[in-house]
Amino acid sequence: MATANNPQPERTNYLNASYGPWSWLTTTDHKRIALLYLLSITFFFFIGGFFALLIRLELLTPQGDLVQADTYNKLFTMHGMVMVFFFLIPVVPAVLGNFLIPIMIGAKDLAFPRINLLSWYLYVVGGILILHCMLTGGVDTGWTFYTPFSTAYTNTKIIEAGLAAFVAGFSSIFTGLNFIVTIHRMRAPGMTWSRMPLFVWAHYATSIIQILGTPVVAITIVLVAAERLFHLGIFDPKLGGDPLLFQHLFWFYSHPAVYIMILPSMGVISELIACFSRKRIFGYNFVALSSIAIAVLGFLVWAHHMFVAGISVYAALIFSFLTYFVGVPSAIKVFNWTATLYKGSIRYDAPMLYAFGFLGLFTIGGLTGLFLACLGINVHVTDTYFVVAHFHYIMVGGVLMGYLGGMHFWWPKISGRMYPEGWARLSALIIFIGFNLTFFPQFILGYVGMPRRYYQYPPEFQVLNVLSTAGSTVLGIGYLLPMLYFLWSMRYGKPAPDNPWNAAGLEWKTTSPPPTFNFDEEPVVTWEAYNYEEIDTEHKEEVPVAR
Amino acid sequence: MHDSSTAAVHGEAQSEPHGHNPALLHHFAEPQQQRDAASLGMWIFLATEVMFFGGLFCAYLIYRLKYFGDFGAASKTLALNLGATNTAVLICSSLTVVLAIYGAQRAKRALMLGSLVLTIILGFAFLGIKTVEYKEKFEKHHVPGASFQFENVPIPGHPDQYANARHAQIFFSLYFVMTGLHALHMIIGIGFFVWLLIAAWKGRFTPDYYTPLEMGGLYWHFVDIVWIYLFPLLYLIDRHP
């Protein structure tokens, strides 16, 4: 095992093993594929963010001045589609998961490296389709494609957008399949299930949702496309069909999809909190199994998106009850993280600041989710900005805080360079402030009755909307900063030692960046996960680390 | 086996790091691990497929309950003899798939190649019969859309009532989507088996290594099983003696 703290620049690693675009486009190395994903996903994040800024700009004033209704409908639809299918769902699994899972379990690669590359190409094909769709007119149904509007009335490009989501969905399925097989079959000797990092557990749970949920939305998209092309009548009440069936099938995937987004970030947070409070995670088994519990329960709550759609009262009661139930494993995680912090030697490096941000934002998002699980409140705030604020707290606040925390934590491993710590802390702060300024006013707006998806609003809502728009600008700067200094650090950053955080986990026992097959010799695991107490007693004098 | 894995970790050798077993990929420690991974991967993929078709079966169930009689009336217009023949064709093809794997296991080359050819022929036979059925549906105007006609068809068991054309149209919508997607899976399966035939012809499969054949077999059996469910749901729901 290499232990040099100043890596020789000429040492062969996965980045300099071969050069040229062809060596990247035909690579089967999971680490290179992760970087391909990083590039393409970041591209789509800024496209989706651009739509978001246009939406916020339009909402600066009560009148429709920047855009009119039709354009506005397309803006929020394309914002949702790009962010959900091309950013949030793949972001943590395809970038961090792809890079880290094989290393964390001591494997040379994922079980199916070529299918991994195929996943990326499918993502790109889906991405090109959605770009083409946007440039030639877009879609105006909202990202939910509700029937019969999407099948019988709108004249925008439903089929092309659906095809894009379909193809990207198969990218997601193949990633999940690859992870499950890898975790089952590729673990190094001694890497038992109870020694796996919680990051891997979280991705295992995510993959279960991906392989079981995504095909259902795929067939739903097929039916919508077929109905639109051939006027089948399956979802059209005029022809005897049932639009509620569409909503059931759609949310059967699209509700668990929220857990596809948040679970991997939760896995990141477990790693960060253990490392930066120098303790074994409190209640390892509970945190691990709560991921699986979220994946299972997540499949049983979809109809809480349909409380006002005309489902039976009894069904609504049951779905409301089950929705409260999802709060249990989520709370187990938050409480266990908090208990891990208790009496830990906490350090405030940038990744940990993101983890704290996650705790705050996810807790607000999760608790408002419980408000929404309550039938009475749900009916009151359905389709208002309260819902918008709630799911942005989870999907943007939670997921992105986890993702960025993980990117900072593992950037030394990925790039072999340290990022500038001061800037990183600043951007964590800016994102946290910007995020709350953007979305907290929306809770109030929703509660006092501002509906979502309108381009105009009564003047009394303007103050809160101005605050929200101002926050979105701050947030935008917060998201741009990491991209800039990560790029900067690739050339000018301090070379990273193999284990800059003195962290536990196999990924820190190989070099930074790792060699093509991850380890110079096959690792054998003889220690438990998060053995920080052992590490710190062994290396007391080494604890101060690179800044 | 460990000499090969160390050669691989040093990243030297794209060229034949495994002199002793060309089928073993670089990131696996031993053939058994590779086989287990492939097999688990295929089963998970089939679970995905179950959910994919599951959405359709769910839609079918809901409308079957909602428009019970209309579905019965529409189902009766399907060509039972053709559907039954196709069921037999597929069951035979599952047998030939098993024989091909058996041939590979026992190094019986002629049996393996012959069974693969037969499987492909039976696959095409299924698609051919399906085409005849589709053609008949077009001629009878039973294809959903502007030219759809389903007038004055009595509901089985209720001779005084006629089926609702719109509700029957939903049956035919599901019929075409379900059998169409099944046929698409058959086409992909035939492509898969043509590739397997070529690989078998080149002598890639031995009693020690025939994983692709097994994977192809799992897929083929799955597609058969989908048909085993489709056939009664679409053809047999209202066939009283």
Side-chain angles (χ1 to χ4, degrees), chain A residues 31-84:
Chain A
K31 299 181 288 301
R32 286 191 162 206
I33 296 170
L35 290 194
L36 292 175
Y37 266 118
L38 175 64
L39 277 179
S40 35
I41 285 177
T42 306
F43 172 74
F44 278 103
F45 175 65
F46 283 101
I47 301 238
F50 173 71
F51 288 126
L53 281 179
L54 287 182
I55 292 169
R56 282 318 319 165
L57 273 179
E58 162 54 36
L59 293 176
L60 198 56
T61 56
Q63 314 81 26
D65 25 31
L66 182 65
V67 295
Q68 292 303 313
D70 284 342
T71 316
Y72 186 79
N73 291 347
K74 287 180 179 174
L75 283 180
F76 70 70
T77 303
M78 300 320 291
H79 166 69
M81 280 213 64
V82 169
M83 285 301 202
V84 168

Coordinates of all heavy atoms in Angstrom, one line a residue, chain A residues 31-84:
Chain A
K31 N -14.3 4.8 -12.9 CA -13.9 6.2 -12.4 C -14.0 7.2 -13.6 O -14.4 8.3 -13.4 CB -12.5 6.1 -11.8 CG -12.4 5.2 -10.6 CD -11.0 5.1 -10.0 CE -10.0 4.4 -10.9 NZ -10.3 3.0 -11.2
R32 N -13.5 6.7 -14.7 CA -13.6 7.6 -15.9 C -15.1 7.9 -16.3 O -15.5 9.0 -16.7 CB -12.8 7.0 -17.1 CG -11.3 7.2 -16.9 CD -10.6 6.8 -18.1 NE -9.3 7.4 -18.1 CZ -8.5 7.7 -19.1 NH1 -9.0 7.5 -20.3 NH2 -7.3 8.2 -19.0
I33 N -15.9 6.8 -16.2 CA -17.3 7.0 -16.6 C -18.0 7.9 -15.6 O -18.8 8.8 -16.0 CB -18.0 5.6 -16.6 CG1 -17.4 4.7 -17.7 CG2 -19.5 5.7 -16.8 CD1 -17.8 3.3 -17.7
A34 N -17.5 7.9 -14.3 CA -18.1 8.8 -13.3 C -17.7 10.2 -13.7 O -18.6 11.1 -13.6 CB -17.5 8.5 -11.9
L35 N -16.5 10.4 -14.3 CA -16.2 11.8 -14.7 C -17.0 12.2 -15.9 O -17.3 13.4 -16.1 CB -14.7 11.9 -14.9 CG -13.8 11.8 -13.7 CD1 -12.4 12.3 -14.0 CD2 -14.4 12.7 -12.6
L36 N -17.2 11.3 -16.8 CA -18.0 11.6 -18.0 C -19.4 12.0 -17.5 O -20.0 13.0 -18.0 CB -18.2 10.4 -18.9 CG -16.9 9.9 -19.6 CD1 -17.2 8.6 -20.4 CD2 -16.4 10.9 -20.6
Y37 N -20.0 11.3 -16.6 CA -21.3 11.7 -16.0 C -21.2 13.1 -15.4 O -22.1 13.9 -15.5 CB -21.7 10.7 -14.9 CG -22.6 9.6 -15.4 CD1 -22.2 8.2 -15.4 CD2 -23.9 9.9 -15.9 CE1 -23.0 7.2 -15.8 CE2 -24.7 8.8 -16.3 CZ -24.3 7.5 -16.3 OH -25.1 6.5 -16.7
L38 N -20.1 13.3 -14.6 CA -19.9 14.6 -13.9 C -20.0 15.7 -14.9 O -20.8 16.7 -14.7 CB -18.6 14.6 -13.2 CG -18.2 15.9 -12.5 CD1 -19.2 16.2 -11.4 CD2 -16.8 15.9 -12.0
L39 N -19.4 15.6 -16.0 CA -19.4 16.7 -17.1 C -20.8 16.8 -17.6 O -21.4 18.0 -17.6 CB -18.5 16.3 -18.2 CG -17.0 16.6 -18.1 CD1 -16.3 16.2 -19.3 CD2 -16.8 18.1 -17.9
S40 N -21.4 15.7 -18.0 CA -22.7 15.9 -18.7 C -23.8 16.3 -17.7 O -24.7 17.1 -18.0 CB -23.1 14.6 -19.4 OG -22.7 13.4 -18.7
I41 N -23.7 15.8 -16.5 CA -24.8 16.1 -15.5 C -24.6 17.6 -15.1 O -25.6 18.3 -14.9 CB -24.7 15.2 -14.3 CG1 -25.2 13.8 -14.7 CG2 -25.4 15.7 -13.1 CD1 -25.1 12.8 -13.6
T42 N -23.4 18.1 -14.9 CA -23.2 19.5 -14.6 C -23.8 20.4 -15.7 O -24.4 21.4 -15.5 CB -21.7 19.8 -14.4 OG1 -21.2 18.9 -13.5 CG2 -21.5 21.2 -13.9
F43 N -23.6 20.0 -17.0 CA -24.1 20.7 -18.1 C -25.6 20.8 -17.9 O -26.2 21.9 -18.0 CB -23.8 20.0 -19.4 CG -24.4 20.5 -20.6 CD1 -24.0 21.7 -21.2 CD2 -25.5 19.8 -21.2 CE1 -24.6 22.2 -22.3 CE2 -26.1 20.3 -22.3 CZ -25.7 21.5 -22.9
F44 N -26.3 19.7 -17.6 CA -27.8 19.7 -17.5 C -28.2 20.5 -16.3 O -29.3 21.1 -16.3 CB -28.4 18.3 -17.6 CG -28.5 17.8 -19.0 CD1 -27.6 16.9 -19.5 CD2 -29.5 18.3 -19.8 CE1 -27.7 16.5 -20.8 CE2 -29.6 17.9 -21.1 CZ -28.7 17.0 -21.6
F45 N -27.4 20.5 -15.2 CA -27.7 21.3 -14.0 C -27.8 22.7 -14.4 O -28.8 23.4 -14.0 CB -26.7 21.0 -12.9 CG -26.9 21.9 -11.7 CD1 -28.0 21.7 -11.0 CD2 -26.0 22.9 -11.4 CE1 -28.2 22.5 -9.8 CE2 -26.2 23.7 -10.3 CZ -27.3 23.5 -9.5
F46 N -26.9 23.2 -15.2 CA -26.9 24.6 -15.5 C -28.0 25.0 -16.5 O -28.6 26.1 -16.4 CB -25.5 25.1 -16.0 CG -24.6 25.3 -14.8 CD1 -23.7 24.3 -14.5 CD2 -24.8 26.4 -13.9 CE1 -22.9 24.5 -13.3 CE2 -24.0 26.5 -12.8 CZ -23.0 25.6 -12.5
I47 N -28.4 24.0 -17.4 CA -29.6 24.2 -18.2 C -30.8 24.4 -17.4 O -31.6 25.3 -17.5 CB -29.7 23.1 -19.2 CG1 -28.5 22.9 -20.1 CG2 -31.0 23.2 -20.0 CD1 -28.7 23.0 -21.5
G48 N -31.0 23.4 -16.5 CA -32.2 23.4 -15.6 C -32.2 24.7 -14.7 O -33.2 25.3 -14.5
G49 N -31.0 25.1 -14.3 CA -30.9 26.2 -13.4 C -31.2 27.5 -14.2 O -31.8 28.4 -13.7
F50 N -30.9 27.5 -15.5 CA -31.2 28.7 -16.3 C -32.7 28.8 -16.4 O -33.2 30.0 -16.2 CB -30.6 28.4 -17.7 CG -31.0 29.4 -18.7 CD1 -30.5 30.7 -18.7 CD2 -31.8 29.1 -19.8 CE1 -30.9 31.7 -19.6 CE2 -32.2 30.0 -20.7 CZ -31.7 31.3 -20.7
F51 N -33.4 27.7 -16.6 CA -34.9 27.8 -16.6 C -35.4 28.3 -15.3 O -36.3 29.1 -15.2 CB -35.5 26.4 -16.9 CG -35.3 26.0 -18.3 CD1 -34.8 24.8 -18.6 CD2 -35.7 26.8 -19.4 CE1 -34.6 24.4 -19.9 CE2 -35.6 26.4 -20.7 CZ -35.0 25.2 -21.0
A52 N -34.8 27.8 -14.2 CA -35.3 28.3 -12.9 C -35.1 29.8 -12.7 O -36.0 30.4 -12.2 CB -34.5 27.5 -11.8
L53 N -34.0 30.3 -13.1 CA -33.7 31.7 -13.0 C -34.8 32.5 -13.8 O -35.3 33.6 -13.4 CB -32.3 32.1 -13.4 CG -31.3 31.8 -12.3 CD1 -29.9 32.1 -12.8 CD2 -31.6 32.6 -11.0
L54 N -35.1 32.0 -15.0 CA -36.1 32.7 -15.8 C -37.4 32.7 -15.1 O -38.2 33.7 -15.1 CB -36.2 32.0 -17.2 CG -35.1 32.3 -18.2 CD1 -35.3 31.6 -19.5 CD2 -34.9 33.8 -18.4
I55 N -37.8 31.6 -14.5 CA -39.1 31.5 -13.8 C -39.0 32.5 -12.7 O -40.0 33.3 -12.5 CB -39.2 30.1 -13.2 CG1 -39.5 29.1 -14.3 CG2 -40.4 30.1 -12.2 CD1 -39.4 27.6 -13.8
R56 N -38.0 32.6 -11.9 CA -37.9 33.5 -10.8 C -37.9 35.0 -11.3 O -38.5 35.8 -10.6 CB -36.6 33.3 -9.9 CG -36.6 32.1 -9.0 CD -37.9 31.9 -8.2 NE -38.5 33.1 -7.6 CZ -39.8 33.1 -7.1 NH1 -40.5 31.9 -7.1 NH2 -40.3 34.2 -6.7
L57 N -37.3 35.2 -12.4 CA -37.3 36.6 -12.9 C -38.7 37.0 -13.3 O -39.2 38.1 -13.0 CB -36.4 36.7 -14.2 CG -34.9 37.0 -13.8 CD1 -34.1 37.0 -15.1 CD2 -34.8 38.3 -13.1
E58 N -39.4 36.1 -14.0 CA -40.8 36.4 -14.3 C -41.7 36.7 -13.1 O -42.5 37.6 -13.1 CB -41.4 35.2 -15.1 CG -42.9 35.2 -15.2 CD -43.5 36.5 -15.8 OE1 -42.9 37.1 -16.7 OE2 -44.6 36.9 -15.3
L59 N -41.4 36.0 -12.0 CA -42.2 36.1 -10.8 C -41.8 37.3 -10.0 O -42.3 37.5 -8.9 CB -42.2 34.8 -10.0 CG -42.8 33.6 -10.7 CD1 -42.7 32.4 -9.8 CD2 -44.3 33.9 -10.9
L60 N -40.8 38.1 -10.4 CA -40.4 39.3 -9.7 C -41.5 40.3 -9.6 O -41.7 41.0 -8.6 CB -39.2 39.9 -10.4 CG -38.3 40.9 -9.7 CD1 -37.8 40.2 -8.4 CD2 -37.2 41.3 -10.6
T61 N -42.3 40.3 -10.6 CA -43.5 41.3 -10.6 C -44.8 40.5 -10.8 O -44.8 39.4 -11.3 CB -43.4 42.2 -11.8 OG1 -43.3 41.4 -13.0 CG2 -42.1 43.1 -11.7
P62 N -45.9 41.1 -10.3 CA -47.2 40.4 -10.4 C -47.7 40.2 -11.8 O -48.4 39.2 -12.1 CB -48.1 41.3 -9.6 CG -47.3 42.2 -8.8 CD -46.0 42.3 -9.5
Q63 N -47.3 41.1 -12.7 CA -47.8 40.9 -14.1 C -47.0 39.9 -14.9 O -45.8 39.7 -14.5 CB -47.8 42.3 -14.9 CG -48.4 43.5 -14.1 CD -47.3 44.1 -13.2 OE1 -46.1 43.9 -13.4 NE2 -47.8 44.7 -12.1
G64 N -47.5 39.5 -16.0 CA -46.7 38.7 -16.9 C -45.9 39.7 -17.8 O -46.5 40.2 -18.7
D65 N -44.7 40.0 -17.5 CA -43.9 40.9 -18.4 C -42.8 40.2 -19.1 O -42.6 40.5 -20.3 CB -43.5 42.1 -17.6 CG -43.3 41.9 -16.1 OD1 -42.9 40.7 -15.8 OD2 -43.5 42.8 -15.3
L66 N -42.0 39.4 -18.4 CA -40.9 38.8 -19.1 C -41.4 37.7 -20.1 O -41.0 37.7 -21.3 CB -39.9 38.1 -18.1 CG -38.7 37.5 -18.7 CD1 -37.8 38.5 -19.3 CD2 -37.9 36.7 -17.6
V67 N -42.3 36.9 -19.7 CA -42.9 35.9 -20.6 C -44.4 35.9 -20.4 O -44.9 36.4 -19.4 CB -42.3 34.5 -20.3 CG1 -40.8 34.4 -20.6 CG2 -42.6 34.1 -18.9
Q68 N -45.1 35.2 -21.3 CA -46.5 35.1 -21.2 C -46.8 33.6 -20.8 O -45.9 32.8 -20.7 CB -47.2 35.4 -22.5 CG -47.1 36.9 -22.8 CD -47.7 37.8 -21.7 OE1 -48.8 37.5 -21.2 NE2 -47.0 38.8 -21.3
A69 N -48.1 33.3 -20.6 CA -48.5 32.0 -20.1 C -47.9 30.8 -20.8 O -47.3 30.0 -20.1 CB -50.0 31.9 -20.0
D70 N -48.0 30.8 -22.1 CA -47.5 29.6 -22.8 C -46.0 29.4 -22.6 O -45.6 28.2 -22.3 CB -47.8 29.8 -24.3 CG -49.2 29.5 -24.6 OD1 -49.9 29.0 -23.8 OD2 -49.7 30.0 -25.7
T71 N -45.2 30.4 -22.7 CA -43.8 30.3 -22.5 C -43.5 29.9 -21.0 O -42.7 29.0 -20.7 CB -43.1 31.6 -22.8 OG1 -43.6 32.1 -24.0 CG2 -41.6 31.4 -22.9
Y72 N -44.3 30.5 -20.1 CA -44.0 30.2 -18.7 C -44.3 28.7 -18.4 O -43.5 28.0 -17.7 CB -44.9 31.0 -17.8 CG -44.7 30.9 -16.3 CD1 -43.6 31.5 -15.8 CD2 -45.5 30.1 -15.6 CE1 -43.3 31.3 -14.4 CE2 -45.2 29.9 -14.2 CZ -44.1 30.5 -13.7 OH -43.8 30.3 -12.3
N73 N -45.4 28.2 -19.0 CA -45.7 26.7 -18.8 C -44.6 25.9 -19.3 O -44.2 24.9 -18.7 CB -47.0 26.4 -19.6 CG -48.2 27.0 -19.0 OD1 -48.2 27.5 -17.9 ND2 -49.3 27.0 -19.7
K74 N -44.0 26.3 -20.4 CA -42.9 25.5 -21.0 C -41.6 25.6 -20.1 O -40.9 24.7 -19.9 CB -42.5 26.0 -22.4 CG -43.6 25.5 -23.4 CD -43.2 26.0 -24.8 CE -44.3 25.5 -25.7 NZ -44.1 26.0 -27.1
L75 N -41.4 26.8 -19.5 CA -40.3 27.0 -18.7 C -40.3 26.1 -17.5 O -39.3 25.4 -17.2 CB -40.2 28.5 -18.2 CG -39.7 29.5 -19.2 CD1 -39.7 30.9 -18.5 CD2 -38.3 29.1 -19.7
F76 N -41.5 26.1 -16.7 CA -41.4 25.2 -15.5 C -41.5 23.7 -15.9 O -40.9 22.9 -15.2 CB -42.5 25.6 -14.5 CG -43.9 25.3 -14.9 CD1 -44.4 24.0 -15.0 CD2 -44.8 26.4 -15.1 CE1 -45.7 23.8 -15.3 CE2 -46.1 26.1 -15.5 CZ -46.6 24.8 -15.5
T77 N -42.0 23.4 -17.1 CA -42.0 22.0 -17.5 C -40.6 21.6 -17.8 O -40.1 20.5 -17.3 CB -42.9 21.8 -18.7 OG1 -44.2 22.2 -18.5 CG2 -42.9 20.3 -19.2
M78 N -39.9 22.4 -18.6 CA -38.5 22.0 -18.9 C -37.6 22.0 -17.7 O -36.7 21.2 -17.6 CB -38.0 22.8 -20.1 CG -38.8 22.8 -21.4 SD -39.5 21.2 -21.8 CE -38.0 20.3 -22.3
H79 N -37.8 23.0 -16.8 CA -37.0 23.0 -15.6 C -37.2 21.7 -14.8 O -36.2 21.1 -14.4 CB -37.5 24.2 -14.7 CG -37.0 24.2 -13.3 ND1 -35.7 24.3 -13.0 CD2 -37.6 24.0 -12.1 CE1 -35.5 24.2 -11.7 NE2 -36.7 24.0 -11.1
G80 N -38.5 21.3 -14.7 CA -38.7 20.1 -13.9 C -38.2 18.8 -14.6 O -37.5 18.0 -14.0
M81 N -38.4 18.7 -15.9 CA -37.9 17.5 -16.6 C -36.4 17.4 -16.6 O -35.9 16.3 -16.3 CB -38.4 17.6 -18.1 CG -39.8 17.2 -18.3 SD -40.0 16.3 -19.9 CE -38.9 14.9 -19.7
V82 N -35.7 18.5 -16.9 CA -34.3 18.5 -16.9 C -33.7 18.2 -15.5 O -32.9 17.3 -15.3 CB -33.7 19.8 -17.4 CG1 -32.2 19.8 -17.2 CG2 -34.0 19.9 -18.9
M83 N -34.3 18.9 -14.5 CA -33.7 18.7 -13.2 C -34.0 17.3 -12.6 O -33.2 16.7 -12.0 CB -34.3 19.7 -12.2 CG -33.7 21.1 -12.4 SD -31.9 21.1 -12.2 CE -31.6 22.8 -11.9
V84 N -35.2 16.8 -12.8 CA -35.6 15.5 -12.3 C -34.9 14.4 -13.0 O -34.1 13.6 -12.4 CB -37.1 15.3 -12.3 CG1 -37.4 13.8 -12.0 CG2 -37.8 16.2 -11.3

